[in-house]
């Protein structure tokens, strides 16, 4: 699969990192998404390691998954294609939040955005798999 030029990876010698430990990751993410997608971000909250809820003004919330520069972009593009296919089949799964759901920051981090779905975290010890 050919990678669109707007999504080309930039080279970086950084190894995989915990991006949430970056003190300015939320501000950087907000600025990047606001600029790349021409949207108004009102708040960013951490959901999990390198996974953030992005609240937007007068628009549905997103989930932004932030990947280090070392994460292979072709695999991320395949993941987005799989989510598109599942949506076309009306399969209950994550939904991409934009026709171009993957962006790359100036530091080479890749970001995948999906729609946020309200819910709750399982309680400690709660077994969900048998319920499915």
């Amino acid at each position: 699969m050919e990678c669109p030029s707007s999504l080309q990876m930039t080279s970086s010698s950084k190894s995989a990192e915990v991006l949430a430990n970056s003190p300015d990751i939320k501000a950087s993410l907000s600025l990047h998404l606001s600029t790349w997608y021409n949207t108004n971000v009102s708040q960013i909250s951490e959901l999990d390691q390198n996974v953030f809820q992005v609240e937007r003004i007068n628009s549905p919330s997103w989930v932004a998954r932030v990947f280090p520069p070392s994460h292979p972009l072709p695999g991320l593009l395949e993941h987005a294609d799989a989510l598109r296919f599942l949506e076309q089949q009306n399969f209950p799964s994550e939904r991409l939040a934009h026709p171009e759901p993957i962006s790359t920051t100036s530091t080479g981090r890749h970001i995948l955005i999906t729609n946020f779905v309200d819910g709750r975290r399982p309680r400690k010890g709660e077994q969900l798999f048998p319920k499915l």
Side-chain angles (χ1 to χ4, degrees), residues 10-42:
T10 58
S11 61
S12 173
S13 60
K14 293 181 181 178
S15 61
E17 57 188 303
V18 177
L19 303 173
N21 287 341
S22 302
D24 62 343
I25 187 66
K26 291 179 184 177
S28 298
L29 183 59
S30 177
L31 178 62
H32 172 77
L33 294 175
S34 295
T35 303
W36 190 278
Y37 292 106
N38 192 29
T39 192
N40 296 310
V41 175
S42 61

Side-chain angles (χ1 to χ4, degrees), residues 20-71:
N21 287 341
S22 302
D24 62 343
I25 187 66
K26 291 179 184 177
S28 298
L29 183 59
S30 177
L31 178 62
H32 172 77
L33 294 175
S34 295
T35 303
W36 190 278
Y37 292 106
N38 192 29
T39 192
N40 296 310
V41 175
S42 61
Q43 183 176 340
I44 294 186
S45 308
E46 186 176 354
L47 297 173
D48 203 347
Q49 183 175 325
N50 302 330
V51 180
F52 301 89
Q53 178 180 351
V54 179
E55 294 181 35
R56 302 181 306 140
I57 298 171
N58 298 322
S59 297
S61 294
W62 288 344
V63 172
R65 286 171 176 76
V66 182
F67 298 88
S70 60
H71 188 87

